[in-house]
Amino acid sequence: MFSKTLISKYVKNNGLAGSALTIAMMTTGNLAHSIAVIDDASKALTPIYRADEAIVIDAKALESAWQKASWRALDQVLIGENLSEDDFNGRYKLLWDSEALYLLVELQDDVLADSHPDPLVNYWDDDCVEVFIDEDASGGDHQFNYNAFAYHVGLDRHVSDMGPTATSSESVIQTYNDHIQSQWSRALDTHTITWELKISIFDDSFLPNSDAKPQVLKQHKEMGFMLAYCDADGKGSREHFIGSYPIEGINGDKNLGYKTADVFEKVQLVK
Ligand SMILES: [Ca+2]
Ligand SMILES: [Ca+2]
Ligand SMILES: [Ca+2]
Ligand SMILES: [Ca+2]
């Protein structure tokens, strides 16, 4: 029988995917292998479904495409202790089309805080949605380069991260407002915040200049993705950091996403 690794490699090289995948009898060298059936060779990849209509960024999930997408949990406490439901709770959905990745976040947060009006100052210490994107699912270090992005989308909708500039490889804090368009609103009765985001995807050749063009997304594309919420409740700093994907801490430190794309979830764009 094939090892799982060999099967995965075969599937990758031959572009096969899907559940109940059957690999027919293969002969390699002098070894004949019998039929191997695996439940789902792409199990490690989380599917993101294509939006079958235009998504309007208006903080309203009225599109039928959103109705069809499944909720995913935003419940991994990466910083802070004793997080109560009242303090923060959230969930999210994802969709894609050729232009962008779309994110719908539904959350409740007892105190909305934006203590640092300058998006270039301690942007992680204000309430913000943090969107991690690794365009080619490469994993690896991205803290001071564009191998991946850790976009902090603040309540003022400014998008902050750090990286090289158009003229220098030295990494600086800057805004990337043309990468993510977003709108949010809070319901009068339930106080639930609905935050809708359109995320343009840039690869690791990105430089902040006018020539930078987002990727045209296609079916089967694999990417690294993670979502988090920085919950600050008016004390000037983030008390909790809640992610979408479990992270194994290093010496108890689970706040690794801003440094390495190795901890992101691997997702795949599907029909
Ligand atoms: Ca909408
Ligand atoms: Ca809170
Ligand atoms: Ca990358
Ligand atoms: Ca808050």
Side-chain angles (χ1 to χ4, degrees):
M1 293 289 286
F2 292 120
S3 71
K4 267 197 165 171
T5 312
L6 268 176
I7 292 170
S8 299
K9 205 176 237 178
Y10 178 85
V11 169
K12 203 170 179 188
N13 292 341
N14 292 277
L16 298 173
S19 61
L21 179 73
T22 303
I23 298 177
M25 173 101 63
M26 289 175 64
T27 304
T28 54
N30 56 3
L31 288 174
H33 298 286
S34 56
I35 293 171
V37 179
I38 43 179
D39 282 345
D40 189 349
S42 57
K43 197 182 262 178
L45 300 174
T46 301
I48 299 177
Y49 295 98
R50 186 178 179 123
D52 51 11
E53 66 186 306
I55 302 295
V56 180
I57 302 302
D58 56 2
K60 292 176 188 149
L62 298 177
E63 295 85 353
S64 63
W66 280 134
Q67 309 302 318
K68 285 182 244 166
S70 310
W71 287 112
R72 297 159 196 252
L74 182 54
D75 61 358
Q76 301 292 311
V77 180
L78 305 176
I79 291 178
E81 287 171 5
N82 304 322
L83 179 69
S84 70
E85 281 279 300
D86 296 342
D87 194 346
F88 172 83
N89 70 82
R91 56 184 186 166
Y92 69 104
K93 293 180 177 186
L94 287 166
L95 289 170
W96 70 279
D97 67 16
S98 62
E99 278 183 36
L101 195 65
Y102 299 89
L103 170 63
L104 180 70
V105 188
E106 214 179 71
L107 67 94
Q108 289 177 320
D109 181 358
D110 53 345
V111 180
L112 293 184
D114 187 7
S115 310
H116 309 82
D118 185 340
L120 305 183
V121 175
N122 286 40
Y123 48 85
W124 56 87
D125 278 329
D126 288 330
D127 280 330
C128 62
V129 168
E130 189 166 348
V131 181
F132 300 87
I133 299 286
D134 176 10
E135 179 271 339
D136 58 355
S138 62
D141 171 72
H142 72 88
Q143 191 172 5
F144 302 115
N145 57 61
Y146 294 121
N147 176 31
F149 294 84
Y151 299 115
H152 298 68
V153 186
L155 293 171
D156 53 14
R157 300 194 304 274
H158 288 305
V159 180
S160 308
D161 190 16
M162 65 190 307
T165 66
T167 53
S168 165
S169 60
E170 194 177 328
S171 189
V172 298
I173 294 169
Q174 50 195 303
T175 55
Y176 301 84
N177 288 1
D178 54 345
H179 290 210
I180 299 185
Q181 184 195 340
S182 83
Q183 288 290 346
W184 63 269
S185 70
R186 184 154 66 170
L188 271 174
D189 47 3
T190 60
H191 306 155
T192 299
I193 289 174
T194 301
W195 206 326
E196 195 173 32
L197 303 90
K198 177 180 183 179
I199 304 153
S200 299
I201 304 298
F202 290 85
D203 69 11
D204 55 15
S205 69
F206 171 76
L207 277 179
N209 58 40
S210 56
D211 297 335
K213 293 275 184 301
Q215 296 291 297
V216 175
L217 301 183
K218 296 195 175 95
Q219 196 183 338
H220 304 309
K221 182 174 181 59
E222 295 176 16
M223 300 198 297
F225 174 85
M226 192 165 73
L227 173 66
Y229 187 73
C230 298
D231 186 15
D233 287 340
K235 295 171 189 137
S237 66
R238 159 175 68 180
E239 293 103 38
H240 287 97
F241 186 44
I242 307 100
S244 63
Y245 197 59
I247 290 179
E248 204 168 311
I250 296 177
N251 297 325
D253 180 14
K254 294 184 176 180
N255 184 20
L256 304 174
Y258 75 99
K259 292 186 278 199
T260 173
D262 288 346
V263 299
F264 299 180
E265 185 171 11
K266 295 276 192 293
V267 300
Q268 187 172 39
L269 308 183
V270 299
K271 215 165 180 176

